[in-house]
Amino acid sequence: QDLPFTMASSKAVAEVLVGAQGIGAAPKQSELVLLGCGRANLVVDASALRKLKEDKEAEEKLRALRGKEGGAGVGVPGPVARIALALKVSELLKGANKVRAPLVKYLELWINAPGSVPAVAAGPSPFGQISKTLADCVGLTPTEAETLASARTLTSAYAVICSEASRQLLALAVGVSSLSSEALPADLRFLDQAALENHGNKHVVAAGMAMRGVLEGSPVLTSSKGKRIEAFSEAPFAHAVASQILQEVSKSVNVELSCPQGVFTAGKDSLRVSTSGIDTVLLPLSESLLRAAALGNARTRELSAAMAEAGAGAEVADFVSELARDAEARLEGARGESTSFAGGLLAGPGAGSRAGLCAAAVTDALHRSLLAEAFAAVCLVRIRQGPAKAAEAVPAEAEDSNSDGKKKKKKKEKKKKGGIGKGSEVVLAYLEAACAEGQGGDRLNALCPAAEGEGAAVGTAIDLPRALRGLSKATDWALGDLGKFLSALQRLIEANQPRRKPKIAKGARDMLPDQMKIREGVFSKVVSVFKKHGAVSIDTPVFELRETLMGKYGEDSKLIYDLADQGGEILSLRYDLTVPFSRFCALHGTGNIKRYHVGKVYRRDQPQMNRGRFREFFQCDFDIAGTYSSMVPDSEVIKVMVEILTDLEIGDFQIKINHRLLLDSIMAVCGVPEQRFRPICSAIDKLDKSPWEEVRREMVEDKGLVPEAADKIGEIVALAGEPKEMLQTLKSGTQGALLDLRGHPKAKTALEELTLLFDFLEAMGALDRLSLDISLARGLDYYTGVIYEAVLLGGNVGSIAAGGRYDHLVGSFAGKDIPAVGVSIGIERVYAIIEAKLKEEAQRTGVPIRSTDTQVLVCSIGNGLQKKRMEVANLLWSAGVASEFGFKPNPKMGDQINYALEGGIPYMVLFGEDEIANGTVKIKDMAERTEVTVGLSDLVAEIRKLIQK
């Protein structure tokens, strides 16, 4: 394959370490590219080498073999071969005492030998020649032979090369396509900022905004005179798809680099791993890059056609046409490789040998496409703009006087010749310099047609093949200056991005100082109740293993936030605090525990900010886990909930209560199949938000319940009222469904537990807040017994606290069931209610909501007293009095008073030169508007009296 890079002739300057242990120890893809191109040497980790088997005889034989390995392999470029063999060394290091250290050291030296190209060949046995050479010299252990027989590292090597190439070539495509649009010109009004920002795919938005950043200041973004060309309007979409797939390929490659094991060993047995996950992701990458290359070829054809209209000479027009045909031929060849690779994947294992060839062919096709388009665009822009003029020297004394005239002239010339965007100018300058390298900077002027009345074109003729070679070198992503140029272009794109007003993520919010003060007060009241009941505090990570969370939340599992897979553990943000607590109990064997936990949780829900529904929010949980007498912990948990909601003074509230076993009994006697219990319960749980008709429709039409069963459920779930009265109704009701319900064993258990619970709550003075509501279902799958939910009467904020019994959740982690029951306070909704009340009160009374605990503002009258203010403030701090002294060296009295009033600071301590001389200060009561003079030594005692009062 004719890959777009060459081996470096200079000495290697970097090192690539393999075999090291720990996170991040695997070699990076960019480092391996340098190794492949001869810019870096391979270094085997010394500790990894010591784990291998020593063999002095093999060491002597391999020393004699150096330099006699034979020629390069067939069909694999040198850089790919070096990377593949380096990855093979990394695989061998996993073999421990079944692999000999001299063999690994020999391969390391072979890779690092100047100008060496290891004998790696295309085909099903890429390391066959190397394996035979080593076997003939020192023989091979079974593990060594199996490892060398695996072909997966060759696929990985191609993937490393092609993913690094694709990343840079896609970035270059943004600049080249932008320059092409200027050359034609094209109509790019579809890159409207508002339209892009509203697009649903973030990758499309990023690609479109990148093009817009290059074209900033260009008329093609706003003018309707340009030509509408599909190859431009499709470019952001093709770029977005390729970029997205490229990210997945890079992840897969990183996984392979972190776990380079071609053979698994167990005792004396070994198993070769012949397939690689990279194979399957290289196909979609190849297809997406083929699409990008096809669009590039289409743009080149448009440029070629426009050259004749612009008056280009026959030589350059024919040269560009030939480039376009060559790019198209490369594309067709790459399509053939991709088709062959796809057919191999469908046929079964063994397609990996074609995966690398396909990726290389596609990368080459993309590079050729960009090369042809870039050359055509540079030529057409120069032809349209006319000869580039050298900068004229301006005398220093005339510079200022002529500045206005120069600006007008420059603006006029730009308008006359069709100015291009800021980024396009940078792209043009880079590509033009590459084309003119070694020929003189003005050679491209020869492309411009002769002016009217002149007989020849401007300037000395340019060597077109030489210009193309210069351009090819400038777009060599491995060893050229392309990386530096793309970094500079990216900085320019970012600088040209529109300055948008910062905004916060949907479903989240910032907390202002006064809001934080309110929240701290709410937390303080909640936690004080937890502590009053003897609970201990714990903390768990905000992220958990995805397997820990999945399957615990029923239909709500779709709301879990998954973290991006970066080649390690699969993680998700926690959805609540209950499942992490259960995992905590199982992991640490806590036994009986009464705990509270205040922390943030995350749900990918549709936020309703005005109703206190966010995507990131706090939960305050209280749970009791362990073995206790029936309904004792349940009653205390509900009592805690009642105390908290009462202490917070948010208004009248009611706690709805039900039992999961009672719900299951209702499902059974109404004819609901057992496998549909949870989906039907989830529908019932919506009765507080939707009318019965809508819930019935969901049961029948969406969840396949027979209408008769739905109607029976409707008769029972409508029951709600005072707990003991409702129990009596359920125990003695004469309706058909209720008669059947009483005979169900689960219903009997539920009614007995509820009877006991209500007696306990009555003894603790908490029963009057409860309502037994049969429609309460609570959608979470892990509930097994009593469930409850608190709502604000007359409010429209949803539930403000909820919980229940979950006896099997801890057992799902520990293998042994540990009963547990808990409640979660919906602190965000509670906070929203309290904040609204306090703001209303502040507006009514004119007293602001305080954001600090400051009790005293230390003030001075006169200049040069800042140090004295600090001394007095320190005196108050030492006594535990919250105080401030102000940062201005000589503040005005009016400013100090206003600061105290705006901050709600109740007292001011004032002094001037006279007070200092007398050893006194004045204490001003801001509410009473009174002043008293006290000695400095009595200040702390007097302030304490006022604060206590």
Side-chain angles (χ1 to χ4, degrees), residues 700-860:
V700 175
E701 297 181 11
D702 298 346
K703 300 187 175 178
L705 187 65
V706 295
E708 295 78 11
D711 293 335
K712 286 183 180 180
I713 291 172
E715 294 175 8
I716 302 179
V717 297
L719 298 174
E722 195 276 331
K724 291 199 171 184
E725 290 180 4
M726 280 297 303
L727 276 181
Q728 189 61 33
T729 301
L730 292 172
K731 290 177 179 178
S732 59
T734 57
Q735 294 174 251
L738 290 180
L739 286 173
D740 295 337
L741 185 64
R742 286 205 301 274
H744 198 282
K746 286 186 177 181
K748 184 178 179 181
T749 301
L751 293 174
E752 289 174 354
E753 289 185 353
L754 288 173
T755 300
L756 189 59
L757 175 65
F758 295 156
D759 287 342
F760 290 158
L761 289 173
E762 188 173 34
M764 290 189 284
L767 186 61
D768 60 328
R769 293 288 189 176
L770 265 64
S771 169
L772 181 52
D773 190 332
I774 307 302
S775 68
L776 179 67
R778 300 288 297 151
L780 302 182
D781 278 1
Y782 52 68
Y783 287 128
T784 58
V786 173
I787 52 177
Y788 31 82
E789 181 176 275
V791 294
L792 190 66
L793 297 177
N796 188 30
V797 293
S799 65
I800 52 178
R805 172 162 287 280
Y806 50 98
D807 287 345
H808 305 312
L809 187 56
V810 179
S812 67
F813 301 109
K816 176 185 176 183
D817 285 341
I818 299 177
V821 62
V823 65
S824 179
I825 308 299
I827 204 70
E828 299 293 352
R829 293 177 179 180
V830 169
Y831 167 79
I833 296 167
I834 294 174
E835 182 186 23
K837 285 188 173 184
L838 290 176
K839 284 184 175 180
E840 183 181 341
E841 182 181 351
Q843 188 174 9
R844 179 176 53 81
T845 61
V847 178
I849 299 174
R850 297 198 61 192
S851 58
T852 70
D853 290 326
T854 304
Q855 296 290 336
V856 177
L857 178 64
V858 180
C859 306
S860 60

Side-chain angles (χ1 to χ4, degrees), residues 207-323:
M209 293 301 287
M211 283 188 70
R212 187 177 178 86
V214 175
L215 293 165
E216 180 65 27
S218 171
V220 299
L221 292 174
T222 56
S223 175
S224 59
K225 297 180 180 179
K227 185 178 180 182
R228 291 190 177 184
I229 302 172
E230 184 179 326
F232 288 100
S233 59
E234 288 291 321
F237 295 92
H239 189 282
V241 172
S243 299
Q244 195 168 1
I245 297 173
L246 183 59
Q247 288 182 5
E248 297 303 317
V249 172
S250 295
K251 290 177 186 177
S252 298
V253 171
N254 287 334
V255 169
E256 288 290 320
L257 297 182
S258 301
C259 308
Q261 195 155 354
V263 175
F264 285 114
T265 58
K268 297 181 179 180
D269 298 325
S270 61
L271 173 66
R272 187 197 307 177
V273 182
S274 58
T275 59
S276 167
I278 295 179
D279 300 350
T280 53
V281 293
L282 280 180
L283 180 60
L285 176 65
S286 299
E287 290 297 320
S288 64
L289 295 180
L290 286 173
R291 175 61 176 158
L295 292 175
N297 288 351
R299 293 191 293 270
T300 303
R301 290 193 295 271
E302 293 284 348
L303 292 166
S304 179
M307 285 183 124
E309 301 173 7
E315 183 183 3
V316 67
D318 291 343
F319 191 78
V320 169
S321 297
E322 182 60 32
L323 282 180

Side-chain angles (χ1 to χ4, degrees), residues 342-655:
L345 279 178
L346 292 173
S353 59
R354 300 217 60 86
L357 297 177
C358 171
V362 170
T363 304
D364 176 53
L366 179 60
H367 180 251
R368 293 289 170 168
S369 171
L370 286 173
L371 196 61
E373 183 184 359
F375 192 85
V378 166
C379 294
L380 185 55
V381 169
R382 178 52 52 226
I383 291 169
R384 290 194 185 280
Q385 288 189 344
K389 295 182 179 179
E392 296 180 1
V394 180
E397 62 273 11
E399 188 171 346
D400 292 334
S401 61
N402 292 339
S403 60
D404 290 340
K406 286 195 301 178
K407 289 178 182 178
K408 291 179 181 178
K409 183 178 180 181
K410 186 176 181 181
K411 186 174 181 181
K412 184 176 180 181
E413 287 180 355
K414 187 173 181 179
K415 185 175 180 181
K416 178 181 178 182
K417 295 189 176 180
I420 62 176
K422 300 175 184 177
S424 301
E425 290 179 350
V426 173
V427 175
L428 178 63
Y430 177 76
L431 298 179
E432 276 194 332
C435 290
E437 185 179 6
Q439 300 191 63
D442 61 346
R443 288 294 180 95
L444 286 171
N445 288 342
L447 299 175
C448 303
E452 192 171 334
E454 297 181 7
V458 181
T460 308
I462 185 171
D463 184 341
L464 294 177
R466 186 175 179 182
L468 182 64
R469 288 194 296 273
L471 189 60
S472 181
K473 180 181 177 183
T475 55
D476 183 345
W477 54 270
L479 299 179
D481 295 327
L482 182 60
K484 296 178 182 178
F485 164 70
L486 291 176
S487 297
L489 183 62
Q490 182 60 33
R491 289 194 294 271
L492 179 64
I493 290 172
E494 291 171 357
N496 286 343
Q497 294 294 332
R499 296 292 182 263
R500 291 172 289 177
K501 183 180 178 181
K503 64 178 183 179
I504 196 167
K506 186 178 181 181
R509 64 171 175 171
D510 293 322
M511 299 297 289
L512 299 176
D514 59 336
Q515 294 174 314
M516 280 303 300
K517 182 66 176 174
I518 299 171
R519 171 175 278 180
E520 288 171 358
V522 172
F523 282 159
S524 177
K525 289 184 178 181
V526 172
V527 171
S528 67
V529 175
F530 292 157
K531 290 182 176 179
K532 184 168 63 176
H533 284 260
V536 297
S537 177
I538 69 164
D539 193 19
T540 61
V542 296
F543 53 83
E544 295 277 351
L545 293 174
R546 190 178 302 169
E547 64 192 45
T548 299
L549 304 181
M550 297 309 292
K552 311 296 191 305
Y553 304 106
E555 294 183 354
D556 286 347
S557 292
K558 63 181 180 292
L559 303 181
I560 293 174
Y561 269 110
D562 294 329
L563 298 182
D565 179 7
Q566 298 180 349
E569 295 176 320
I570 308 300
L571 304 173
S572 299
L573 294 178
R574 63 189 180 198
Y575 178 90
D576 64 5
L577 300 178
T578 306
V579 172
F581 171 59
S582 299
R583 190 266 309 152
F584 177 92
C585 292
L587 183 63
H588 298 284
T590 54
N592 288 2
I593 182 174
K594 183 190 295 183
R595 84 88 169 88
Y596 74 89
H597 187 184
V598 177
K600 285 185 175 181
V601 298
Y602 302 85
R603 297 183 183 178
R604 198 164 49 86
D605 203 351
Q606 192 61 31
Q608 297 178 21
M609 312 290 276
N610 59 337
R611 296 188 62 194
R613 177 178 288 177
F614 302 92
R615 288 181 167 177
E616 179 196 57
F617 56 95
F618 273 99
Q619 278 190 344
C620 299
D621 277 22
F622 177 86
D623 293 79
I624 302 175
T627 304
Y628 301 89
S629 299
S630 177
M631 293 294 107
V632 171
D634 307 67
S635 59
E636 184 175 11
V637 168
I638 295 174
K639 173 62 177 175
V640 165
M641 177 167 52
V642 171
E643 283 188 17
I644 288 173
L645 297 179
T646 302
D647 290 353
L648 289 173
E649 300 176 340
I650 55 176
D652 199 13
F653 63 90
Q654 183 184 71
I655 298 174

